[in-house]
C-alpha cells in the first residue's frame, strides 16, 4: 500500500507514504493514493489535525527524473509538467486553507514538489538526518510547489533567493536556523512529537484554526486597512458560535475549554 492513514485519539490522523511513494511521490501510482487519503481526512469532521510523513531516507523526493526523460523523448514534457503541477498545486491550496492543522514529520530529504508539500504544512518537525536540496536550477527549471511564496515567508526573501540561486543543500540544522523547519528530533521521537504538536494545535476551535490560518497568509499581501477589515469579519463570525460561548464560560470558571469537533455541533 503506497499510502496509509491511521486515525488516533484526539482527532489526529497520521498519513504515511511508503518508501516507494516517498521516492516517487508525484507519479500517478503514488500521488493518487496520497491525494485520496488527504481528501478523506480533510472531509472527516472528527479530524482536527493531520500528520504527514514518509518512510526511509526521503520524506518526498518530488518528480521522477526518469519520467521527465521519457516525456522529453516522447515530446510531451510540457503536458506532463502541466498535469503534475495541476494535481499538486490545488492540493497545497487545500492544505493552506483547511481548518485542519497539518504537521509535517520530515523523516528524510524533501525536494521539488515534496518540499512544497512540507512547507505548505502549519508546522514541521524534522529528523536530524533530513536534508533540503534546492534541485530546480540544476535541472534548468524555476521552482514550483508554492515554494517562491512559502519559503520567503518562513526564512526571508534573500535567504530564499540564495537557496535557489546558489543551488544550496540545507542540513536539518541549517533549515532550523533559517526557520524552514520548527524543531529537530531524533528518528525515534519524530512521529510521537509530531502527533503531540498536532493534538496541541488541533485542540482549538475550528474558527480559531481556520480564521487564523487565513489571516496569517493574507497578512503579507494586503494593506493594513484591508487586513483589519478581514480580521473584523472573521471575529464577528466566530463570536456567534458555540465555541465562543464555551470559551467565555471556561475563562470565567478558570477551566480548560472543550471545543466542538466541527462547527455544525
Amino acid at each position: 500500500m503506497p499510502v496509509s492513514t491511521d486515525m488516533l485519539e484526539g482527532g489526529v490522523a497520521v498519513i504515511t507514504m511508503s518508501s516507494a511513494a516517498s521516492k516517487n511521490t508525484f507519479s500517478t501510482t503514488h500521488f493518487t493514493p496520497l491525494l485520496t487519503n488527504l481528501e478523506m481526512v480533510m472531509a472527516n469532521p472528527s479530524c482536527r489535525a493531520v500528520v504527514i510523513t514518509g518512510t526511509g531516507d526521503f520524506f518526498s523526493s518530488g518528480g521522477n527524473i526518469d519520467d521527465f526523460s521519457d516525456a522529453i523523448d516522447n515530446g510531451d514534457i510540457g503536458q506532463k509538467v502541466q498535469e503534475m503541477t495541476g494535481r499538486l498545486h490545488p492540493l497545497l491550496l487545500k492544505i493552506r486553507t483547511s481548518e485542519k492543522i497539518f504537521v509535517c514529520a520530515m523523516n528524510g530529504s524533501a525536494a521539488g514538489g515534496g518540499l512544497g508539500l512540507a512547507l505548505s504544512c502549519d508546522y514541521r518537525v524534522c529528523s536530524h538526518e533530513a536534508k533540503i536540496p534546492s534541485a530546480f536550477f540544476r535541472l534548468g527549471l524555476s521552482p514550483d510547489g508554492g515554494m517562491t511564496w512559502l519559503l520567503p515567508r518562513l526564512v526571508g526573501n534573500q535567504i530564499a533567493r540564495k537557496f535557489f540561486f546558489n543551488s544550496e543543500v540545507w542540513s536539518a540544522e541549517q533549515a532550523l536556523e533559517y526557520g524552514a523547519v520548527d524543531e529537530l528530533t531524533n528518528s525515534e521521537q519524530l512521529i510521537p512529537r509530531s502527533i503531540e504538536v498536532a493534538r496541541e494545535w488541533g485542540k482549538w476551535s475550528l474558527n480559531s484554526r481556520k480564521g487564523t490560518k487565513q489571516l496569517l497568509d493574507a497578512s503579507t499581501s494586503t494593506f493594513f486597512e484591508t487586513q483589519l477589515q478581514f480580521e473584523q469579519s472573521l471575529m464577528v463570525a466566530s463570536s456567534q458560535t458555540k465555541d465562543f460561548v464555551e470559551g467565555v464560560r471556561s475563562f470565567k470558571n478558570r477551566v480548560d475549554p472543550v471545543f466542538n469537533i466541527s462547527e455544525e455541533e
Side-chain angles (χ1 to χ4, degrees):
M1 185 180 299
V3 181
S4 62
T5 298
D6 295 302
M7 284 299 305
L8 308 179
E9 292 181 3
V12 175
V14 178
I15 294 179
T16 305
M17 292 178 280
S18 68
S19 178
S22 295
K23 291 178 181 177
N24 191 11
T25 307
F26 300 106
S27 69
T28 302
T29 303
H30 298 127
F31 187 74
T32 299
L34 175 62
L35 181 60
T36 299
N37 278 261
L38 283 167
E39 289 182 336
M40 179 180 67
V41 297
M42 281 192 270
N44 183 350
S46 66
C47 177
R48 293 173 176 264
V50 183
V51 175
I52 307 175
T53 192
T55 303
D57 295 334
F58 294 95
F59 165 72
S60 174
S61 63
N64 184 277
I65 298 300
D66 290 336
D67 290 345
F68 288 152
S69 179
D70 291 342
I72 290 172
D73 292 341
N74 295 334
D76 59 357
I77 184 62
Q79 179 182 347
K80 181 171 185 60
V81 173
Q82 180 76 28
E83 291 174 352
M84 183 182 300
T85 54
R87 295 194 304 266
L88 172 62
H89 289 184
L91 172 62
L92 302 180
L93 187 59
K94 287 180 181 179
I95 290 173
R96 295 298 293 190
T97 56
S98 172
E99 77 277 7
K100 318 293 187 191
I101 296 299
F102 283 84
V103 178
C104 172
M106 197 180 298
N107 58 289
S109 298
L115 179 55
L117 178 61
L119 297 179
S120 70
C121 292
D122 301 296
Y123 198 93
R124 281 154 295 282
V125 182
C126 185
S127 166
H128 287 282
E129 291 76 26
K131 294 186 183 300
I132 298 179
S134 172
F136 292 99
F137 280 27
R138 290 181 64 84
L139 293 172
L141 293 171
S142 57
D144 80 319
M147 261 185 282
T148 58
W149 193 91
L150 294 163
L151 191 60
R153 283 164 169 76
L154 293 169
V155 306
N157 189 284
Q158 191 61 16
I159 290 177
R161 189 178 298 263
K162 289 190 289 185
F163 176 70
F164 294 123
F165 278 87
N166 290 337
S167 194
E168 294 177 347
V169 179
W170 289 348
S171 66
E173 288 73 22
Q174 286 175 302
L176 177 66
E177 178 185 354
Y178 294 144
V181 302
D182 296 290
E183 61 178 276
L184 303 183
T185 188
N186 57 49
S187 57
E188 292 78 15
Q189 290 300 313
L190 180 67
I191 301 302
R193 175 55 186 156
S194 298
I195 292 171
E196 183 181 14
V197 173
R199 282 204 179 105
E200 182 65 22
W201 284 31
K203 72 181 182 182
W204 304 116
S205 75
L206 183 150
N207 287 288
S208 293
R209 288 181 268 124
K210 185 172 184 177
T212 303
K213 288 177 66 169
Q214 290 176 328
L215 288 165
L216 289 173
D217 277 355
S219 65
T220 54
S221 56
T222 60
F223 292 110
F224 185 44
E225 181 180 5
T226 304
Q227 187 72 6
L228 289 173
Q229 293 169 348
F230 193 16
E231 287 183 346
Q232 182 185 43
S233 65
L234 293 182
M235 185 76 164
V236 170
S238 61
S239 70
Q240 299 175 71
T241 64
K242 293 180 180 178
D243 279 335
F244 183 62
V245 175
E246 168 62 11
V248 171
R249 182 202 66 80
S250 62
F251 188 87
K252 290 180 67 177
N253 292 312
R254 298 184 179 182
V255 297
D256 291 334
V258 179
F259 294 117
N260 291 324
I261 292 176
S262 66
E263 59 186 354
E264 289 81 10
E265 293 186 8

